[in-house]
Amino acid sequence: VQLVESGGGLVQAGGSLRLSCATSGFFFEDYAIGWFRQVPGKEREGISYITNSDGATYYIESVKGRFTISSDNAKKTAYLQMNSLRPEDTALYYCAASRHTYYSGSNLMRGTIYDFWGQGTQVTVSS
């Protein structure tokens, strides 16, 4: 199983980045893909997920209207389009896969139910 994030980088406040999560080794359509972020010294934060079987999505309040999650089942890849970036979005961003799609809402955003994780990609937003 592999999840490989890419697309992070340094951007000015108000700018955009598109993160990708390329996966292999599991049946993509049966899983939810979540995006998480972590700042050193703080707890990991789940920010968005998509269930690949039906395209249902979830966002935390702080990213609603700015971030958009999507996935391509044929490419087994998920994306996180991040617009109107703020300095407080600076973090290491991870994607993860969960087969526990019987959960919904914030219950499917808990990191403990994600089975596979990527290594992360750094996003830095300068003010």
Side-chain angles (χ1 to χ4, degrees):
V1 173
Q2 278 196 317
L3 290 86
V4 180
E5 302 94 338
S6 61
L10 173 64
V11 63
Q12 288 189 330
S16 298
L17 286 173
R18 188 193 194 207
L19 305 185
S20 297
C21 174
T23 76
S24 62
F26 61 95
F27 196 65
F28 189 77
E29 289 89 333
D30 282 352
Y31 282 70
I33 301 295
W35 285 96
F36 298 78
R37 63 188 180 187
Q38 189 164 23
V39 175
K42 293 190 176 181
E43 287 190 5
R44 181 180 59 202
E45 178 181 44
I47 57 174
S48 181
Y49 69 73
I50 184 167
T51 52
N52 294 323
S53 60
D54 61 4
T57 60
Y58 172 88
Y59 302 92
I60 59 170
E61 282 299 320
S62 62
V63 307
K64 275 184 183 177
R66 300 189 299 124
F67 290 11
T68 303
I69 192 169
S70 62
S71 65
D72 185 329
N73 287 348
K75 295 183 178 179
K76 301 186 185 302
T77 299
Y79 306 95
L80 186 68
Q81 177 67 44
M82 305 188 296
N83 299 329
S84 302
L85 282 161
R86 305 167 179 168
E88 55 264 37
D89 294 318
T90 295
L92 185 61
Y93 282 70
Y94 299 90
C95 64
S98 173
R99 65 185 184 274
H100 304 287
T101 56
Y102 41 82
Y103 290 110
S104 62
S106 59
N107 289 322
L108 189 46
M109 201 70 263
R110 293 175 292 136
T112 52
I113 64 168
Y114 280 76
D115 304 289
F116 311 122
W117 291 81
Q119 294 299 307
T121 185
Q122 179 67 36
V123 171
T124 303
V125 184
S126 63
S127 57

